[in-house]
Amino acid sequence: MGEPVRVLHVLGGLSLGGAESRIMDLYRCMDREKVQFDFLVHQNRTGERIPEFYDEEIKSLGGKIYLLPRFQGYNYFAYQKAARDFFQKHHDFRVVQGHMTSTAAIYLPEAARAGIPVRVAHARSAGVDQGIKGVVTRLLRIPLLGRADYCFACSREAGESVFGKKWEKSPKALVIPNAVDARKFIYREERRNQVRKELDLENRFVIGHVGRFHYAKNHEFLLEIFAAVKRGMEEKGVKATLMLLGEGSGMEEARKQAERLGIEKETLFMGNRKEVWDYYQAMDYFVFPSRFEGLPGTVVEAQAAGLKCLISDKITPEVGFTELVAYQDISLPAEDWAEQIIKDIPYERKDMCQAVEAAGFDVREQAKRMERFYLSGKIS
């Protein structure tokens, strides 16, 4: 057998984020004798790059990590030149898949100019940041539909948000749901008890959330919801805990808000964890009040772990594929969210792996499909 074809994924970084985690799930299941992944990521604000969460694993799987300067608007032409220089030097990729769609209309044409056969823009979110940054992002995305060979999206809402309202009618369009390794998340009572004992969570009602501390995730509202749940559960003689997994620029402000709300002792800031499936076992309920999402893989993982989920009505209906998920109006007060959560308990945790796989969220099947695409350059 000859050398594997190489696929370049373009990302902001390699932290434990949603897009990064889904790509790594796919990477682990790929036949790497046929297809190998490499990564093009961006420098931080200081112009440097500190090794990130997935660096070592990528290298152990045979992947390479390359670097571009951070895009800051005013350096448009310098960024374009850096992308041009990179692809002129590194042009042996079969596919370039741009998950960083804010600048994909800049770097994908440079990949085309260097002769790379297939260029893909992959929409991962159905919204943008606040203020001028969000306005600039939308402007930069306008030409993207015409500058990519294929326009993938994790949900219909994400595709429309990034590529425009006519996106789905294009022959370039394809929805690829965020798939997970559901077997790792199967509910196991024995493991649950073990993790809860290790974390001193026995005899507590544990609300869980997994996500980076970013505007989209709406942690400030989540903390308010938990404060209301805590009050309601204390009336029933039950102690409550909020378990937050993830990191990000908003983490310190969330800590301060927890103190202001008087819930700092009951709020666990767990940071990034490798074996995240163990922490889903320890949870009793999953809450996800995002302002916008593409298709949150964490909600898929929570369902795989048999957790009831209360999520924002701004999140795509495609992720609510089991009876475990309920949608709640994000404009309602925190007390209404808390009331629904308390009303939902107790309930029976089940093995939901089969339901996840049947709904098309199984990473092994998706790996086979994507492998065919990477080898042929055609969607099927």
Side-chain angles (χ1 to χ4, degrees), residues 185-370:
F185 295 86
I186 294 171
Y187 178 64
R188 296 179 177 88
E189 183 80 21
E190 184 179 344
R191 185 59 183 144
R192 166 185 165 82
N193 293 337
Q194 185 180 347
V195 176
R196 285 172 69 93
K197 186 175 181 179
E198 290 170 1
L199 297 174
D200 195 23
L201 292 174
E202 294 169 296
N203 302 315
R204 298 188 77 93
F205 175 65
V206 180
I207 286 182
H209 181 275
V210 181
R212 65 191 175 111
F213 286 78
H214 177 265
Y215 171 75
K217 303 299 182 185
N218 207 5
H219 279 88
E220 59 268 36
F221 187 46
L222 174 61
L223 290 165
E224 291 177 12
I225 293 168
F226 174 70
V229 169
K230 177 178 175 285
R231 292 192 295 271
M233 295 303 289
E234 283 175 346
E235 291 175 4
K236 297 175 177 290
V238 178
K239 294 180 179 179
T241 294
L242 176 62
M243 183 190 293
L244 302 174
L245 282 89
E247 295 178 358
S249 58
M251 192 171 184
E252 191 53 39
E253 180 52 41
R255 289 184 187 276
K256 292 176 182 177
Q257 185 185 357
E259 290 179 12
R260 291 195 296 270
L261 291 170
I263 56 172
E264 70 275 15
K265 292 181 181 177
E266 293 83 14
T267 304
L268 302 179
F269 290 86
M270 307 293 292
N272 289 335
R273 301 286 172 138
K274 282 191 175 180
E275 296 181 345
V276 66
W277 43 88
D278 278 343
Y279 298 92
Y280 283 98
Q281 302 291 319
M283 298 171 189
D284 294 300
Y285 203 103
F286 195 77
V287 181
F288 212 74
S290 294
R291 291 183 169 96
F292 58 84
E293 290 283 346
L295 189 151
T298 52
V299 178
V300 179
E301 291 172 346
Q303 289 173 89
L307 284 167
K308 271 194 175 291
C309 308
L310 188 62
I311 71 175
S312 160
D313 63 342
K314 301 299 182 183
I315 299 174
T316 177
E318 292 162 78
V319 80
F321 56 88
T322 75
E323 60 188 18
L324 291 170
V325 173
Y327 289 81
Q328 183 79 298
D329 187 339
I330 200 174
S331 67
L332 290 175
E335 288 74 16
D336 286 26
W337 282 65
E339 184 180 336
Q340 182 62 52
I341 292 164
I342 293 169
K343 190 187 297 182
D344 281 344
I345 55 174
Y347 63 94
E348 183 185 357
R349 294 276 289 272
K350 300 176 184 175
D351 176 355
M352 299 296 290
C353 183
Q354 228 175 356
V356 174
E357 292 176 350
F361 291 93
D362 174 41
V363 72
R364 289 170 181 80
E365 285 303 312
Q366 191 178 104
K368 293 175 186 175
R369 181 187 190 190
M370 292 306 297

